[in-house]
Amino acid sequence: MSSEPVRKGSTPSVTEKASISDDKRSVSDVAQDERVVDVVAGLIAGHGEEAELDPQVSHELRKKLDRNMIPMLCILYTLQFIDKNSLGSSSILGIITDNHLTANQFNNLSTAFYAGYIIFVGPHAWLMQHFPIAKYIATNIGLWSVFLGLQATCHSYGGLFACRFLLGASEGCITSGIMTIMTMFYTRVESTQRISWTFMCNGIASIIAAFISFGVAHTKATARPHQWQWFMIIVSTLSVVVSALYFWRMPDNPATARFLTEQEKIDVVKRIRINQNGIETKVWKRYQFIEAFTDPKTWMFFLFAAVANLVGGMGVMFNLIIKGFGFNTLETTALSIPMGASMVISITIGTILIRYFPNSRCLLGIIGFIPAFICVFLLIFLPWSNKTGLLIAFYLVGSDGLGFIMILSLVAVAFSGHTKKMTCNAIFLVGYSIGQMVSSQFWKQKYRPRNVVPWSILGASFAFDIFMISVIWWYLARENRRRDAEKLASGEEYEEFGFIEHVQEDGSVVKLKFSDLLPKRLYADPAHRRLNRPINA
């Protein structure tokens, strides 16, 4: 394989496919390493000179992708959220009494899940780059179905702790995997919308989990299996089915999408070249790994994720909070249904707005946290006798999902280079896990039922989220202005392309151009030697 970046001028430009991180790495060095080329390079080779994709063809292709991929992604995210919050759903179905749990032990079981999550998020990022990503996700779905089912056999705190740890370890690849797959098939704006759709499934999952809880709550509490065990068995069985579905149906990248024709696979790659971040490589690139740790954006997103997920304790405590308002078990399972609806509605509004205002992720993120910020004050100061007001305020706290998903979708498109993107996703998820680990620890027995301290902490976190999004917004705008000024001052334009050597049946070797695979606006920052790209926040 050879790679020939050409500039309309004198010296060659540097792109993602041939970039440098130190003086020892040259373009010619990269040109000799054919492994750095996207795994779909052979698919697109020879099509670099073709005309732009017809808008109608692109529209029909997007609809076909949606029909085949979005249901799969939504099913996965729905099931993951039910599994993750199975502890909270079971909290009023007998799991606490059957396993002799104290309030602190119950909180620790939530922390155990995210301890496993945070420990394995790094290995997951590395393994997903080296193995087929969809098959890897399917394997982990199968593993979590086993660990979830094993919870139904536990009768002590220790057994539940081990199962929750392993459950978190197996689920640590899902969010990063979904984000990565999404950006292989969709443009930036489309990815934002569709990541929002998948995150919306958290709300749908809350509704489904509430109905399952409501159903099993009608069984006799003394019957075997017990009510909480029935919940685990049902969800574990569903997980096995989804694992098999992913092995059979979910593609690893456009080249392996069985529901696409060869021409459609080429068209998928052509239509997403505006993302300017490639498709997928199977080589872990050290210089991109280092760039991920030295890029300020990485740590801004990390800090946001850690603080934004202090709200996660509600996912474990929601049934106990509602029951604390004075409702019985059956009433609580029914009254938990609207909480998911508020999340679905808020994110739906956000996905509609982002379609018409595609460069407004940060603005929508800020707006998304404002209702939740107001509602925590209502939960603190409303009279305890006003059960309706307290319930409505509690439901609307769930609207913070809009703010989080806007920044999550920004993380998915803000970094170039597959290794850098996977590393930054992993660091973001470490922040997410830290927030979730801490989130259940301040819901102490001594604060119930008013929970003034937990609600105050959440109010402060929402205020910080708004501040942090504003900082991210300012930083990205500043970087875009700097980049544009630098490009204008240089007065140079770049045209990057490469060649793959292809051996034909008669033994002759031809070079096939694949310029469409290379980002058109990536370049090496002379001051920082870092891959840069325009980011529309």
Side-chain angles (χ1 to χ4, degrees), residues 1 16-17 63 127-128 189 191 208 214 310 312 353 391 394 400 465 502 517:
M1 187 216 115
E16 181 190 2
K17 307 302 177 219
K63 290 198 298 184
L127 290 167
M128 281 191 289
V189 173
S191 293
I208 294 174
F214 185 74
L310 290 176
L353 291 175
L391 268 176
F394 177 68
D400 74 307
D465 294 336
H502 176 65
L517 270 182

Side-chain angles (χ1 to χ4, degrees), residues 332-396:
T332 299
T333 58
L335 288 172
S336 63
I337 295 172
M339 187 176 66
S342 68
M343 183 184 297
V344 172
I345 293 170
S346 65
I347 295 178
T348 299
I349 293 172
T351 56
I352 293 172
L353 291 175
I354 198 67
R355 181 175 182 180
Y356 293 100
F357 307 99
N359 298 331
S360 58
R361 292 182 184 90
C362 287
L363 177 60
L364 290 175
I366 290 172
I367 293 172
F369 282 110
I370 292 175
F373 179 73
I374 295 171
C375 286
V376 295
F377 283 94
L378 295 177
L379 286 163
I380 293 171
F381 295 110
L382 277 177
W384 192 243
S385 58
N386 189 353
K387 304 301 183 185
T388 301
L390 290 169
L391 268 176
I392 293 174
F394 177 68
Y395 293 150
L396 291 180

Side-chain angles (χ1 to χ4, degrees), residues 293-304:
F293 280 90
T294 57
D295 192 333
K297 296 193 303 292
T298 303
W299 302 107
M300 291 180 187
F301 288 128
F302 167 84
L303 186 58
F304 167 82

Side-chain angles (χ1 to χ4, degrees), residues 1 18 34 46 53 73 83 97 146 157 188 204 215 219 238 293 339 348 351 360 365 369 416 431 468 486 536-537:
M1 187 216 115
E34 65 181 38
L53 197 62
L73 295 170
D83 291 350
T97 54
V146 172
Y157 169 66
R188 291 188 208 169
I204 297 173
T219 64
L238 292 174
F293 280 90
M339 187 176 66
T348 299
T351 56
S360 58
F369 282 110
S416 295
M468 199 64 227
E486 194 174 81
N536 298 316

Side-chain angles (χ1 to χ4, degrees), residues 105-420:
Q105 287 176 333
F106 182 77
N107 292 344
N108 291 341
L109 291 179
S110 176
T111 301
F113 178 94
Y114 288 101
Y117 196 107
I118 197 172
I119 289 172
F120 282 87
V121 70
H124 280 316
W126 188 87
L127 290 167
M128 281 191 289
Q129 185 165 10
H130 285 75
F131 294 96
I133 189 168
K135 306 302 182 293
Y136 185 81
I137 290 174
T139 300
N140 279 275
I141 298 172
L143 288 173
W144 99 42
S145 67
V146 172
F147 301 140
L148 184 66
L150 286 175
Q151 288 184 86
T153 68
C154 294
H155 300 285
S156 66
Y157 169 66
L160 283 174
F161 191 95
C163 287
R164 292 290 297 177
F165 178 88
L166 294 172
L167 185 64
S170 59
E171 292 195 22
C173 67
I174 302 303
T175 298
S176 179
I178 286 178
M179 290 166 62
T180 302
I181 290 175
M182 200 77 76
T183 55
M184 290 184 195
F185 289 87
Y186 293 100
T187 66
R188 291 188 208 169
V189 173
E190 292 169 354
S191 293
T192 298
Q193 291 175 321
R194 284 147 185 83
I195 289 174
S196 298
W197 293 347
T198 58
F199 197 85
M200 189 191 305
C201 293
N202 286 357
I204 297 173
S206 295
I207 296 171
I208 294 174
F211 276 113
I212 296 174
S213 297
F214 185 74
V216 299
H218 281 80
T219 64
K220 290 184 178 181
T222 56
R224 292 186 179 275
H226 289 174
Q227 293 173 343
W228 68 273
Q229 291 173 321
W230 267 121
F231 186 93
M232 300 294 184
I233 292 169
I234 291 170
V235 180
S236 176
T237 303
L238 292 174
S239 300
V240 173
V241 174
V242 173
S243 175
L245 183 63
Y246 260 66
F247 266 113
W248 171 61
R249 189 66 178 171
M250 178 58 73
D252 301 299
N253 55 60
T256 62
R258 292 189 294 175
F259 57 85
L260 297 175
T261 66
E262 289 303 308
Q263 183 58 48
E264 287 172 337
K265 293 175 183 178
I266 294 169
D267 291 344
V268 166
V269 178
K270 291 175 67 176
R271 72 186 295 273
I272 65 168
R273 61 185 173 182
I274 62 172
N275 286 356
Q276 303 168 12
N277 57 5
I279 305 294
E280 182 186 18
T281 62
K282 292 300 182 186
V283 177
W284 188 264
K285 302 176 187 177
R286 180 177 177 272
Y287 72 96
Q288 288 188 17
F289 180 74
I290 294 172
E291 285 177 8
F293 280 90
T294 57
D295 192 333
K297 296 193 303 292
T298 303
W299 302 107
M300 291 180 187
F301 288 128
F302 167 84
L303 186 58
F304 167 82
V307 177
N309 281 281
L310 290 176
V311 72
M314 280 181 54
V316 178
M317 301 294 171
F318 67 96
N319 272 333
L320 295 177
I321 293 170
I322 295 175
K323 193 170 185 178
F325 291 152
F327 301 102
N328 62 36
T329 297
L330 199 59
E331 291 170 337
T332 299
T333 58
L335 288 172
S336 63
I337 295 172
M339 187 176 66
S342 68
M343 183 184 297
V344 172
I345 293 170
S346 65
I347 295 178
T348 299
I349 293 172
T351 56
I352 293 172
L353 291 175
I354 198 67
R355 181 175 182 180
Y356 293 100
F357 307 99
N359 298 331
S360 58
R361 292 182 184 90
C362 287
L363 177 60
L364 290 175
I366 290 172
I367 293 172
F369 282 110
I370 292 175
F373 179 73
I374 295 171
C375 286
V376 295
F377 283 94
L378 295 177
L379 286 163
I380 293 171
F381 295 110
L382 277 177
W384 192 243
S385 58
N386 189 353
K387 304 301 183 185
T388 301
L390 290 169
L391 268 176
I392 293 174
F394 177 68
Y395 293 150
L396 291 180
V397 172
S399 64
D400 74 307
L402 170 60
F404 181 77
I405 194 61
M406 287 296 122
I407 304 306
L408 178 65
S409 65
L410 187 57
V411 174
V413 299
F415 300 100
S416 295
H418 196 69
T419 298
K420 183 175 181 180

